[in-house]
Amino acid sequence: MKIHVNMPQKPYDILIKRGGLEKASAWVSSLWQAQKILVISDDRVAGFYADRLLTDLNTAGFKASLFSFPAGEASKTLATAEKIWHHCAELGLTRSDGIIALGGGVVGDLAGFVASTYLRGIHFLQIATSLTAQVDSSVGGKTAVNTAIAKNMIGTFAQPDGVLIDPDLLKSLDSRCLIEGMGEVIKCGLIADKELWDFIQTMSGPETILENAEYLISRAVEVKRKLVVEDELDHGSRLYLNFGHTIGHAVETTAGYGHIMHGEAVAIGMVQISQHAEKQGLMPAGFTEKIKATCEKFGLPTSFEPWNEEELYAALSHDKKTRGDSIKTVIVPEIGQAKIHELKIQEMKSFLKKEGE
């Protein structure tokens, strides 16, 4: 299955194909001429897939090598990016050479950031290996690194030349990493695809994710494709994709990068913002409980401890959706439809109170 992302300046295709990694060189050859390629991965994913990808690429006439870094959100920093920039220079990569991201969201964000900044930008491809990356972070061209102050604080918009999604790669994920991706899938159903939401309701739990992977991935990717094409730079409808993220990113930052996974934080953020929006009449009564029950059915957390309102507020005050003293939050007044709700940044304090307080 191919999904065309018709970006005005740089259109590209997302290829969703079981077994796609086994023939990755044919896909790369259809997009790039023979050249040097730096494959960027983390040490966990590289252990599964790097050797076969490098062998495949080099056999096909590319000059491919690997840079790997310690797995986890804590590695998504400027310090790691600098190491990769230096490695690119040592390899003699030029603007006619490329980078391939082989991994989940951390790898994709970091590799895309490096590619978009090295020599003011070289081309790159995404091979997404986690469910979170396959349904969300590999699509749309956002790249970034974290700082101690906020998640994804330093970044660029840079579209890849293509994205390869092989659902078979999900078989190598541990249970927590697979389940985490459902946070983004559930979000997509809530903001823009009632049919996807309804399908998720028919699933019994995490044991049904793999067998339905192609459907879940294709529906979620289509939601993101549509919003990204409409609003590449996050000024309008693309913000819908941030449902649960304002509070979720603050949770990731305050908990310590890697302690709460991204999809888990999104689930927590969706429940937290919905319960307060519901109290203010911005979302229907009982809606929060539906979101919470759906997340918990798949084993996603819907709260975490310690919950420090002051630390969370300090983190979200640096959120990229902040404009002056206001912040654009996202609510879901009905399933399949999202809405931007702008409020003063100080008003977010009420959305950070735990239920019952």
Side-chain angles (χ1 to χ4, degrees), residues 278 281 283-290:
E278 190 176 318
M283 291 174 62
F287 203 174
T288 304
E289 197 53 45
K290 291 180 181 179

Side-chain angles (χ1 to χ4, degrees), residues 167 201 243 295 319:
Q201 303 312 301
F243 179 52
C295 289
D319 191 278

Side-chain angles (χ1 to χ4, degrees), residues 13 26-27 30 35 50 65 83 117 135-136 143 152 195 199 219 227-228 231 260 266 270 290 354 356:
D13 290 324
W27 171 68
S30 72
Q35 61 191 262
S65 58
K83 291 178 183 178
T117 50
V135 302
D136 181 59
T143 81
N152 295 336
E195 185 176 324
F199 181 82
R219 298 294 298 209
L227 293 172
V228 166
D231 175 30
I260 301 290
V266 169
M270 289 191 297
K290 291 180 181 179
K354 293 293 282 183

Side-chain angles (χ1 to χ4, degrees), residues 1-317:
M1 177 189 300
K2 276 188 179 181
I3 296 177
H4 185 60
V5 185
N6 192 27
M7 303 302 298
Q9 302 300 320
K10 187 177 181 180
Y12 60 93
D13 290 324
I14 300 164
L15 177 62
I16 304 173
K17 184 178 182 181
R18 287 194 179 273
L21 183 65
E22 298 299 326
K23 301 176 181 177
S25 65
W27 171 68
V28 177
S29 296
S30 72
L31 298 168
W32 290 352
Q33 296 180 340
Q35 61 191 262
K36 292 178 184 176
I37 295 175
L38 180 61
V39 175
I40 299 176
S41 191
D42 65 43
D43 52 11
R44 182 183 181 280
V45 173
F48 284 108
Y49 305 120
D51 284 348
R52 73 173 83 166
L53 177 60
L54 291 174
T55 299
D56 185 28
L57 290 171
N58 286 318
T59 300
F62 295 98
K63 295 180 180 179
S65 58
L66 174 70
F67 183 98
S68 69
F69 58 85
E73 194 79 34
S75 289
K76 204 174 83 173
T77 63
L78 279 170
T80 307
E82 185 174 22
K83 291 178 183 178
I84 306 175
W85 286 324
H86 288 171
H87 191 72
C88 289
E90 289 168 358
L91 289 174
L93 260 62
T94 70
R95 295 186 76 179
S96 60
D97 299 313
I99 283 173
I100 294 179
L102 173 68
V106 169
V107 172
D109 282 3
L110 181 57
F113 177 71
V114 168
S116 68
T117 50
Y118 178 71
L119 300 179
R120 296 195 176 96
I122 64 175
H123 50 255
F124 70 103
L125 297 168
Q126 294 269 10
I127 300 179
T129 63
S130 72
L131 184 57
T132 300
Q134 292 182 353
V135 302
D136 181 59
S137 59
S138 68
V139 181
K142 281 186 176 180
T143 81
V145 294
N146 303 328
T147 72
I149 296 173
K151 181 180 169 72
N152 295 336
M153 193 173 191
I154 311 297
T156 65
F157 286 93
Q159 301 297 336
D161 287 350
V163 179
L164 175 63
I165 295 172
D166 182 350
D168 284 344
L169 303 186
L170 300 178
K171 296 174 184 176
S172 64
L173 298 179
D174 63 35
S175 177
R176 184 184 179 191
C177 289
L178 180 64
I179 289 168
E180 178 232 352
M182 284 302 295
E184 290 287 0
V185 177
I186 292 166
K187 177 206 74 179
C188 286
L190 283 165
I191 66 170
D193 190 345
K194 186 177 183 301
E195 185 176 324
L196 173 59
W197 169 265
D198 289 343
F199 181 82
I200 291 168
Q201 303 312 301
T202 70
M203 296 171 65
S204 58
E207 69 279 1
T208 59
I209 295 174
L210 287 177
E211 66 190 75
N212 294 295
E214 284 168 289
Y215 179 82
L216 297 173
I217 293 165
S218 62
R219 298 294 298 209
V221 166
E222 180 56 30
V223 167
K224 187 158 191 183
R225 180 209 65 79
K226 181 177 182 295
L227 293 172
V228 166
V229 170
E230 285 178 1
D231 175 30
E232 180 181 5
L233 301 181
D234 245 358
H235 297 306
S237 60
R238 183 170 178 167
L239 289 171
Y240 297 162
L241 292 163
N242 288 312
F243 179 52
H245 285 59
T246 300
I247 294 175
H249 282 169
V251 166
E252 288 184 81
T253 302
T254 58
Y257 293 125
H259 291 285
I260 301 290
M261 299 183 75
H262 177 67
E264 296 172 338
V266 169
I268 293 167
M270 289 191 297
V271 169
Q272 182 68 19
I273 200 163
S274 295
Q275 67 186 15
H276 288 280
E278 190 176 318
K279 288 177 183 176
Q280 295 181 21
L282 300 170
M283 291 174 62
F287 203 174
T288 304
E289 197 53 45
K290 291 180 181 179
I291 297 172
K292 184 177 180 181
T294 301
C295 289
E296 291 179 344
K297 178 173 70 170
F298 289 97
L300 287 163
T302 54
S303 64
F304 91 105
E305 297 295 339
W307 185 272
N308 187 309
E309 293 175 23
E310 292 303 317
E311 289 183 0
L312 288 165
Y313 178 73
L316 70 80
S317 66

